[in-house]
Every structure is written in structure tokens, then in C-alpha cells.
Amino acid sequence: WNVELISGPNSIRAQAGRFEDRVTIVYADRTGGGLFAVNAGGHYGYLDEAHVYWEPDRAYTPGSWGYVGGKPSRTHHRIFGTNEDALYQAVREGMDRYRFDVPDGVYEVTLGFVEPATDPRVFSVAVNGTTMMTDLELYTATQRSVITEARSGTGIRIEFTATSGD
């Protein structure tokens, strides 16, 4: 089952007949700092080889984080260029942007990309108004990083502009 956790202690109980098990998971939304990872397009969390937990994708709500626009898509094919197939098999297509309402400060933003479609898409990416990549065309999984500054309470905005395709 997919269980949405709330910030703080979450008690989960499973029961089948006379058998029962319980666990308490203490969850903290990491938007406010530290390492934060998003499984874009994925309705599930993912724990990678480095033990980084990738949050399930969600729509943006003010004061938090999430995508604006687009639709999730999934493939079950092997993803070349990574050992993290399950992470790169979920994607968000045609989105306008991601927003992260984080405190003012300097952040490193790393984006992972893959092209699961047979018709390649070409697009550009800007982080907080500064173009990070222009006319990106993908053939294998790839990552790109940029240092950006959140200031005046605007957080981090990652914008996607299509040249061709979604």
C-alpha cells in the first residue's frame, strides 16, 4: 500500500486474523534544508544505492514544493547510463516548472534526465531565471548540477521550455 506520511510520528498497524504487527515511522519533510530528492513523475518513494530517499512526486502547494503542469509517464525498459533503473523509469512530461519554497540561501541543484520516448524531445532548463541548459537532447540517463541562490523569499524555481516535443 502507498501510505502518505505526515510530519512527526506515524503509527502503522497491520493485522491479519489473530496476527498483528506495528511500527512507528518518524517522518520529517526535508524541504527546509539538507539533502532533498524528488522522484519526478513517480508516485512512489525510492531509496537509491547511496541510501538517499527520493520523495514521491507531488503537485506544488504554497509553502512546500512540487511540480506545476505536466503528466507522469513510466517505462519498464532498462535505462542506459545508470544503475538506478527504478528511479529513471518514472518521468514527468510536459511540465512547466518545479517550485521549492526553501529559505533564502545558496543551494546546489542537481537534475537527472532520461529520454524514454522514441521521439526525442528537445528542451531548455532555467533555475531561478538563469539558463542552465539549452536545447538539451537526451539519449542516456544524465545529470547536470548548478549552484543557485534563493533570495527575497522566492525559493527555487526550475523552469522547462520545450523546443520540440512535450
Side-chain angles (χ1 to χ4, degrees), residues 39-151:
N39 184 8
H43 65 278
Y44 53 90
Y46 179 75
L47 188 64
D48 70 16
E49 290 177 344
H51 300 279
V52 171
Y53 179 72
W54 296 73
E55 301 276 344
D57 206 5
R58 65 184 188 197
Y60 172 74
T61 55
S64 188
W65 64 272
Y67 61 83
V68 176
K71 63 180 192 248
S73 181
R74 199 149 152 69
T75 183
H76 297 283
H77 296 287
R78 171 81 173 92
I79 305 297
F80 296 107
T82 182
N83 290 329
E84 306 283 358
D85 285 355
L87 180 61
Y88 282 89
Q89 287 169 334
V91 297
R92 176 155 293 281
E93 297 177 338
M95 76 283 228
D96 297 322
R97 73 186 61 82
Y98 270 87
R99 286 198 56 175
F100 296 86
D101 292 342
V102 295
D104 289 355
V106 176
Y107 294 85
E108 178 179 15
V109 176
T110 300
L111 303 173
F113 299 97
V114 68
E115 178 55 78
T118 54
D119 297 325
R121 293 168 276 237
V122 180
F123 58 96
S124 299
V125 180
V127 177
N128 284 354
T130 301
T131 301
M132 178 180 177
M133 293 168 277
T134 303
D135 293 334
L136 184 65
E137 191 171 355
L138 302 167
Y139 299 100
T140 64
T142 187
Q143 288 187 348
R144 300 283 192 273
S145 296
V146 65
I147 303 296
T148 192
E149 185 175 0
R151 51 181 109 137

